[in-house]
């Protein structure tokens, strides 16, 4: 086995006439945290399910933990951990009882020891006797993570694990993911949160089943060659309306007292902003961020599809 825990090439999946995932290729190295982003329905869950052996691709090839995703699906399922978007648990059992029950369902040996170790690893010891139904969203997610780690998988697939979880609990959850990664666990995690994407070693972005970008965040942003200017002052919605019709303006967005304008041509954008604002605003060039990059990728892809 090489150093890649996921190595898939040209995967396709149709549901009836709907081509849900198109020519999908991805390589994930051991110990890497790989973020998986894209709008609702872009094919993230379907891609995850193909990579971890839950559904068979229509075409393509690939390996997960060195095992063939077409012919060794059962073996893959035993070796990975998969936290689905809608995990189920028994609300009237405690955390510990839930984990013991899941360990029994999976026919794991030394169940008590495994549960005790997982509770400790995930910081759940102090809560182990609490009823699952009474837990807050953050603790429920942590318990779900514990459930898919009982058999000590070296690769985790987490499908939107922190949806609806408050910022503090999300931070703590991500701290745990980084600890696991330090211990050599590879993690592929789908999310809609940009701050979570920025915590990953690498990210992939899907739209309408197409993988539009993947790699480190700086490499993705740099490849797009976008310039972003920040304009600070009053009357920003009106200014935004005036700037948007110019073809040199790729996209605009207001955050508080700042209007961010993104373009592929820095010189033309600077000239336009100077002409339109007439020197009455504070203007500065800023780094293009990941959200700008993904928004641009999606817009550009939409335009290509519609033309
Ligand atoms: N079992 C299925 N049968 C039919 N269509 C499906 C099935 N699973 C997924 N799809 C369709 O395939 C497309 C991709 O769905 P998928 O769940 O992979 O997207 P996603 O990016 O994970 O979305 P979300 O962010 O909402 O979870 C969607 O149009 C969805 O309706």
């Amino acid at each position: 086995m090489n150093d890649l825990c996921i190595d898939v090439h040209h995967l396709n999946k149709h549901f009836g006439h709907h081509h849900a995932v198109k020519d999908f290729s991805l390589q994930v190295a051991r110990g890497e945290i790989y973020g998986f982003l894209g709008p609702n329905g872009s094919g993230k869950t379907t891609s995850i399910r193909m990579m971890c052996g839950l559904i068979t691709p229509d075409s393509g090839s690939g390996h997960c933990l060195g095992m063939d995703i077409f012919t060794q699906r059962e073996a893959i399922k035993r070796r990975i951990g998969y936290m689905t978007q809608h995990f189920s648990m028994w609300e009237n059992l405690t955390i510990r009882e839930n984990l013991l029950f899941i360990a029994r369902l999976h026919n794991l040996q030394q169940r008590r020891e495994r549960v005790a170790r997982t509770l400790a690893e995930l910081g759940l010891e102090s809560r182990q006797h609490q009823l699952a139904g009474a837990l807050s969203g953050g603790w429920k997610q942590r318990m779900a993570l514990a459930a898919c780690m009982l058999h000590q998988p070296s690769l985790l697939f987490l499908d939107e694990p922190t949806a609806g979880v408050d910022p503090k609990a999300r931070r703590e959850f991500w701290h745990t993911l980084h600890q696991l990664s330090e211990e050599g666990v590879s993690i592929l995690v789908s999310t809609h949160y940009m701050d979570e994407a920025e915590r990953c070693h690498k990210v992939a972005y899907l739209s309408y089943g197409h993988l539009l970008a993947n790699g480190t965040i700086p490499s993705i942003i740099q490849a797009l060659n976008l310039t972003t200017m920040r304009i600070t002052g009053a009357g920003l919605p009106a200014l935004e309306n005036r700037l948007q019709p110019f073809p040199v303006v790729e996209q605009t967005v207001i955050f508080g007292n700042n209007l961010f304008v993104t373009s592929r041509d820095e010189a033309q954008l600077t000239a336009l902003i100077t002409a339109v604002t007439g020197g009455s605003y504070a203007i500065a060039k800023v780094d293009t961020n990941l959200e700008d990059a993904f928004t641009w990728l999606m817009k550009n892809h939409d335009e290509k599809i519609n033309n």
Side-chain angles (χ1 to χ4, degrees), residues 15-16 18 20-21 38-47 85 159-160 192:
F15 294 110
H18 180 51
V21 175
N40 293 122
S42 56
K44 300 181 296 294
T45 303
T46 306
S47 303
Q85 275 178 28
D159 201 353
E160 295 185 36
H192 287 289

Side-chain angles (χ1 to χ4, degrees), residues 82-289:
Y82 179 33
M83 182 172 160
T84 62
Q85 275 178 28
H86 308 288
F87 61 92
S88 38
M89 61 185 167
W90 291 268
E91 303 227 328
N92 53 352
L93 296 184
T94 66
I95 292 184
R96 183 169 177 278
E97 288 165 344
N98 263 286
L99 296 180
L100 279 170
F101 191 69
I102 291 162
R104 194 171 307 133
L105 277 182
H106 292 290
N107 207 18
L108 297 177
Q109 304 298 305
Q110 297 168 322
R111 294 194 271 273
R112 283 170 198 285
E113 292 76 9
R114 279 177 189 270
V115 168
R117 188 195 55 230
T118 310
L119 285 168
E121 266 174 15
L122 295 185
L124 283 164
E125 273 172 318
S126 62
R127 304 251 171 181
Q128 61 179 301
H129 300 300
Q130 211 165 323
L131 286 182
L135 296 171
S136 66
W139 288 105
K140 279 185 184 160
Q141 302 300 94
R142 197 165 274 267
M143 194 192 85
L145 180 62
C148 69
M149 291 208 56
L150 284 169
H151 59 305
Q152 289 189 290
S154 56
L155 172 60
L156 287 174
F157 290 90
L158 311 177
D159 201 353
E160 295 185 36
T162 57
V165 173
D166 71 58
K168 181 171 174 284
R170 287 206 289 129
R171 262 186 188 211
E172 287 163 1
F173 191 87
W174 273 85
H175 179 74
T176 303
L177 295 191
H178 276 278
Q179 272 179 338
L180 292 171
S181 152
E182 278 290 301
E183 291 160 17
V185 177
S186 315
I187 300 170
L188 192 134
V189 50
S190 74
T191 178
H192 287 289
Y193 298 113
M194 288 299 146
D195 63 309
E196 294 193 345
E198 284 166 1
R199 289 168 202 236
C200 298
H201 299 124
K202 287 186 182 163
V203 294
Y205 186 75
L206 268 100
S207 181
Y208 298 109
H210 285 279
L211 182 64
L212 297 187
N214 70 314
T216 63
I217 292 173
S219 74
I220 290 174
I221 293 175
Q222 212 174 2
L224 300 182
N225 205 14
L226 294 168
T227 296
T228 301
M229 305 291 276
R230 183 185 64 211
I231 306 174
T232 310
L236 294 180
L239 181 60
E240 186 179 30
N241 288 338
R242 287 178 65 200
L243 288 170
Q244 270 174 346
F246 289 92
V248 69
V249 173
E250 293 284 345
Q251 61 197 35
T252 58
V253 62
I254 297 174
F255 282 104
N257 294 323
N258 299 307
L259 168 64
F260 294 88
V261 186
T262 298
S263 170
R264 301 201 87 183
D265 188 325
E266 182 175 343
Q268 275 197 48
L269 179 66
T270 308
L272 173 69
I273 291 175
T274 309
V276 171
T277 58
S280 49
Y281 287 85
I283 298 164
K285 183 180 169 188
V286 293
D287 288 339
T288 299
N289 65 25

